[in-house]
Amino acid sequence: MKISLALLSLCALIGAVVLAAPSPRVDSHVTQTRKYDLEITKGYNAPDGITRMAYLVNGQTPGPEIRARQGDDLEISVTNASPVNFTIHFHGIEQEGTPWSDGVPGVTQRMISPGQIFVYRWKATQSGLYWYHAHSRELYDDGIRGAIYLEPNDSQPTPFGLISSDPQDISAMKSADKDPRVVGLSDRKHFNSERDFEEWQRTHIEQLCVDSLLINGRGRIFCPPQETFAPYITPTAPTFTARGCLLPNNSAIYPYPDGRPDLIDPGVFYDCQSTTTPFSVVSVDPESKWASLAFVNMAGLWQIKVSVDSHKLYVYSADGQYHKPQAVDIITIPIGQRFQAMIKLDQPVADYTIRIAVDEVPQVMSGFAVLSYTKSSIATVDSLPPDVDPAMAYGGLVLNNSTTTLDAMTLKPFPETLAPPKDSTHTFLLDLNRTSALTWTLNRDPYQPFLELITPLLLAPQDASKLDPSIVFSYPLGSVIDMIFQATPGAPAHPLHKHGKSAWIIGIGNGPFAWDSVATAMKEQPSLFNLIDPPLRDGFNTLDATTEPTFLVIRYLVTNPMVTFIHCHINNHVIGGMASVLMEGVDKLPPIPSYYTNAGL
Ligand SMILES: *[C@@H]1O[C@H](CO)[C@@H](O)[C@H](O)[C@H]1NC(C)=O
Ligand SMILES: *[C@@H]1O[C@H](CO)[C@@H](O)[C@H](O)[C@H]1NC(C)=O
Ligand SMILES: *[C@@H]1O[C@H](CO)[C@@H](O)[C@H](O)[C@H]1NC(C)=O
Ligand SMILES: *[C@@H]1O[C@H](CO)[C@@H](O)[C@H](O)[C@H]1NC(C)=O
Ligand SMILES: *[C@@H]1O[C@H](CO)[C@@H](O)[C@H](O)[C@H]1NC(C)=O
Ligand SMILES: *[C@@H]1O[C@H](CO)[C@@H](O)[C@H](O)[C@H]1NC(C)=O
Ligand SMILES: [Cu+2]
């Protein structure tokens, strides 16, 4: 379907009006169809003071929050008013009965090409925090992303009685959980994703250096004095550039002999000019006693950690799934993952600093926002309040031995009935590897980006047999899959993401996975496995593999016929090929509506 330019500019105007309204509060208790129009345009923005090209969603990035109530039907109409092809993926949404709305080009649909409109339809079977983003090349890093919040229905058991036994507290937390404050995290580069990729190809060095960290799309460039970096210096990280990056010739981090550090653009790793752009404000009402902060890492490169001055974070949800609450000071958030935390609003009425930091060796960098105990809706501030018990210094250094950081492997799903099956029917061992300066693999061979342009496998499942067998996994409905990811030494942690149904993370350890099955492994190393109450997630972060391999095991049930995707969520890695297709019970796929078989032709 082609749309006229006049219509497009009208849409842009409407988008701007919608923008000015407060985030849509879902107020009806009757399930309904909620419609959203997302229009993607090419534009410019300067959240950290440096103007660059961006793809905007209704004129902004992050795009508008999509809010609905569990049980609602969503109808999300995406208009491509940009010059590039893309699709939109709803990250963490299980797509029960709607495999055609998962948004992976070449897998579930054809590209939405410039001038086209594509309508995604899915049911909110889940509750909690999710997000949407472009799923082609590295485009989401240019701005096509936003949060999704699905308000839990009233029959869903909540874990708040494990935080407090006071009925008033529990009731305040239930209310907070229905209307959380989204805290969206991202890292920003001043080259767009296409240019970033070209620089990697030109120099054979991944561009592991960002310009700023943003919270809800706002932030600042910092060029801290060299002494700030002193606590981070180690034998393999001896020197930091003005913007806190390791040098591009550091062979511990940039290991490829064909890398050309001499060709690096100094604008990427070295040059730093600080800015004074405003910070985001996250407002809470102290009269509501508790607030829910909904953190999502929408970054392209870095794992990010977060803390809030003077406030314990009672983590109660991970990837939209309730887990038994844990009180911590810092949450580490791998890319793609979400955590929700209650905070008790028992501090003096004031502003408190929200701190974030890159949580990986190659870069020392922080970002900030303000938690404000005020009902007013001031969106930004120009300066931060005084530090009050900060949990971390610039760059994430922990300041106090009693500070606690969430260990996501210890999260236990709530309610307890959400335990994994005791046995599996299929075992797959995948080798996560870097096979050249430009290639990353999830299993032996890289997934080829050109597959984005083929007839979607959902419409032609038989074509899967023509693909490289190392990147296709097929199994029938009712299977219980054990998928073992073995990371090759020299790799950072990989934030893997499985589309469709979530999986239990049942095992993690250092060393190779040297057994033929989980059952055998558990006999020899029971302490590395948990079949009783392991976390139930759609994101799985492997351990760093420095000198020896590491492994991570997920188990999942196949209950929803789907053709879908599993991949690393670091942009360089997925575009470098770290992805595979999952053919899940394809002989039981529901009939595909003609709208979806024809869309994009
Ligand atoms: C409410 O949530 C529970 C738990 O997720 C689910 O089993 C139930 O089907 C939901 N009810 C509606 C109307 O969505
Ligand atoms: C968009 O995708 C179509 C195939 O669906 C392809 O022919 C076209 O070249 C692509 N355009 C761009 C700008 O990549
Ligand atoms: C890396 O480059 C810096 C400055 O450009 C130089 O001082 C250093 O010796 C180089 N290190 C290596 C390992 O080549
Ligand atoms: C460390 O944190 C504890 C608990 O918050 C606090 O009582 C103590 O004063 C802190 N110590 C320092 C040195 O900041
Ligand atoms: C933290 O622990 C280390 C090692 O146990 C100790 O040397 C240091 O003094 C402690 N710092 C504080 C602030 O308590
Ligand atoms: C990882 O890739 C390297 C380079 O291609 C190769 O030598 C090595 O055998 C691979 N490792 C595994 C476990 O596949
Ligand atoms: Cu990765």
Side-chain angles (χ1 to χ4, degrees):
M1 194 185 316
K2 296 279 171 200
I3 42 175
S4 74
L5 274 176
L7 181 60
L8 288 184
S9 38
L10 180 63
C11 291
L13 273 176
I14 294 166
V17 174
V18 169
L19 252 187
S23 66
R25 180 72 223 280
V26 174
D27 48 22
S28 166
H29 284 249
V30 181
T31 64
Q32 52 178 269
T33 299
R34 287 185 202 276
K35 298 187 181 184
Y36 280 85
D37 290 316
L38 304 180
E39 190 208 26
I40 315 303
T41 53
K42 184 176 179 175
Y44 291 86
N45 73 351
D48 61 8
I50 305 289
T51 303
R52 59 153 271 199
M53 185 285 283
Y55 293 112
L56 306 174
V57 187
N58 295 359
Q60 65 181 96
T61 178
E65 267 174 50
I66 291 180
R67 291 215 180 194
R69 191 162 195 268
Q70 188 176 16
D72 285 348
D73 291 303
L74 277 290
E75 195 175 297
I76 299 160
S77 174
V78 175
T79 300
N80 185 357
S82 86
V84 285
N85 286 328
F86 61 83
T87 59
I88 299 283
H89 169 58
F90 302 92
H91 187 119
I93 300 298
E94 57 192 12
Q95 301 293 356
E96 181 85 58
T98 51
W100 42 81
S101 287
D102 193 45
V104 185
V107 177
T108 66
Q109 68 172 98
R110 299 181 189 91
M111 286 288 190
I112 311 174
S113 51
Q116 285 186 328
I117 294 174
F118 187 94
V119 183
Y120 293 92
R121 294 184 185 87
W122 46 268
K123 193 173 206 49
T125 50
Q126 302 151 285
S127 67
L129 183 64
Y130 302 88
W131 62 299
Y132 61 90
H133 60 80
H135 213 296
S136 175
R137 312 287 296 177
E138 304 179 82
L139 280 175
Y140 83 75
D141 209 31
D142 293 328
I144 311 177
R145 55 186 154 202
I148 301 174
Y149 192 72
L150 304 177
E151 184 189 309
N153 72 27
D154 292 324
S155 58
Q156 171 142 212
T158 58
F160 306 122
L162 300 171
I163 298 178
S164 168
S165 53
D166 179 339
Q168 285 186 337
D169 278 331
I170 294 173
S171 145
M173 286 188 259
K174 279 190 179 177
S175 302
D177 187 36
K178 288 184 190 292
D179 188 20
R181 300 287 170 267
V182 170
V183 184
L185 314 178
S186 58
D187 48 12
R188 188 164 195 265
K189 291 181 169 185
H190 293 149
F191 282 161
N192 65 42
S193 66
E194 211 51 41
R195 175 73 191 274
D196 181 71
F197 185 55
E198 283 163 20
E199 289 297 307
W200 179 20
Q201 290 179 307
R202 189 173 68 81
T203 61
H204 283 202
I205 292 174
E206 284 185 299
Q207 309 290 294
L208 302 184
C209 190
V210 303
D211 292 34
S212 60
L213 294 184
L214 307 183
I215 301 180
N216 291 344
R218 294 179 190 281
R220 218 175 246 198
I221 297 173
F222 297 100
C223 313
Q226 276 293 323
E227 57 261 32
T228 311
F229 306 124
Y232 302 93
I233 288 174
T234 65
T236 51
T239 312
F240 290 90
T241 66
R243 57 165 68 179
C245 294
L246 293 184
L247 302 188
N249 65 0
N250 184 314
S251 59
I253 310 295
Y254 313 96
Y256 274 81
D258 56 347
R260 293 292 303 272
D262 54 313
L263 298 182
I264 285 285
D265 186 317
V268 177
F269 280 78
Y270 299 94
D271 301 345
C272 194
Q273 235 171 2
S274 58
T275 57
T276 56
T277 34
F279 300 107
S280 287
V281 173
V282 176
S283 301
V284 291
D285 174 2
E287 280 171 23
S288 57
K289 302 272 192 283
W290 289 84
S292 169
L293 300 182
F295 299 106
V296 46
N297 185 345
M298 308 184 184
L301 184 59
W302 295 134
Q303 169 164 303
I304 294 173
K305 53 189 191 174
V306 61
S307 72
V308 182
D309 282 14
S310 292
H311 291 80
K312 279 277 177 207
L313 302 167
Y314 295 83
V315 179
Y316 69 92
S317 171
D319 293 349
Q321 172 65 50
Y322 288 135
H323 283 76
K324 289 187 182 171
Q326 289 193 30
V328 297
D329 301 298
I330 296 173
I331 309 174
T332 301
I333 314 179
I335 299 176
Q337 298 190 9
R338 293 88 61 210
F339 292 94
Q340 278 177 261
M342 285 292 163
I343 53 170
K344 193 169 192 183
L345 304 177
D346 59 355
Q347 297 299 305
V349 172
D351 286 351
Y352 299 90
T353 302
I354 299 173
R355 294 165 202 276
I356 62 173
V358 171
D359 188 45
E360 286 167 281
V361 189
Q363 187 159 16
V364 174
M365 172 174 274
S366 266
F368 304 92
V370 168
L371 175 80
S372 183
Y373 274 43
T374 163
K375 287 183 224 177
S376 81
S377 53
I378 297 166
T380 65
V381 289
D382 289 327
S383 58
L384 296 173
D387 293 356
V388 197
D389 297 330
M392 55 193 189
Y394 187 92
L397 189 74
V398 172
L399 298 165
N400 181 327
N401 289 344
S402 61
T403 299
T404 52
T405 299
L406 178 71
D407 174 0
M409 283 305 298
T410 65
L411 286 171
K412 300 176 187 316
F414 182 91
E416 282 163 8
T417 47
L418 291 169
K422 292 288 165 262
D423 296 300
S424 64
T425 59
H426 295 66
T427 299
F428 299 111
L429 176 65
L430 289 73
D431 271 306
L432 313 184
N433 199 3
R434 186 176 185 178
T435 52
S436 81
L438 300 173
T439 339
W440 289 92
T441 58
L442 191 62
N443 187 40
R444 197 180 79 209
D445 297 328
Y447 186 89
Q448 301 294 325
F450 66 77
L451 294 180
E452 291 187 341
L453 294 176
I454 66 174
T455 301
L457 292 169
L458 178 66
L459 304 183
Q462 66 284 0
D463 286 358
S465 62
K466 299 182 202 151
L467 299 179
D468 180 329
S470 81
I471 56 160
V472 182
F473 296 90
S474 306
Y475 35 80
L477 205 62
S479 304
V480 180
I481 307 298
D482 280 342
M483 197 165 263
I484 302 154
F485 305 99
Q486 185 172 256
T488 307
H494 295 287
L496 304 173
H497 170 53
K498 178 185 177 291
H499 293 205
K501 296 275 180 182
S502 292
W504 288 272
I505 308 177
I506 61 168
I508 192 161
N510 289 299
F513 188 89
W515 305 278
D516 61 358
S517 70
V518 168
T520 322
M522 283 186 74
K523 284 198 191 102
E524 284 185 32
Q525 293 281 348
S527 66
L528 303 180
F529 295 88
N530 177 2
L531 286 184
I532 310 295
D533 50 12
L536 178 54
R537 309 289 306 272
D538 59 57
F540 331 109
N541 202 37
T542 65
L543 297 170
D544 279 319
T546 43
T547 52
E548 58 168 355
T550 66
F551 71 85
L552 180 145
V553 187
I554 61 171
R555 176 170 290 182
Y556 57 94
L557 256 163
V558 185
T559 56
N560 182 30
M562 204 160 169
V563 177
T564 191
F565 215 46
I566 186 164
H567 61 99
C568 180
H569 223 290
I570 296 174
N571 256 332
N572 289 344
H573 296 191
V574 67
I575 200 170
M578 200 170 222
S580 288
V581 168
L582 305 177
M583 309 289 292
E584 309 197 300
V586 289
D587 56 330
K588 299 283 192 316
L589 281 170
I592 301 173
S594 59
Y595 174 83
Y596 292 105
T597 54
N598 296 331
L601 282 178

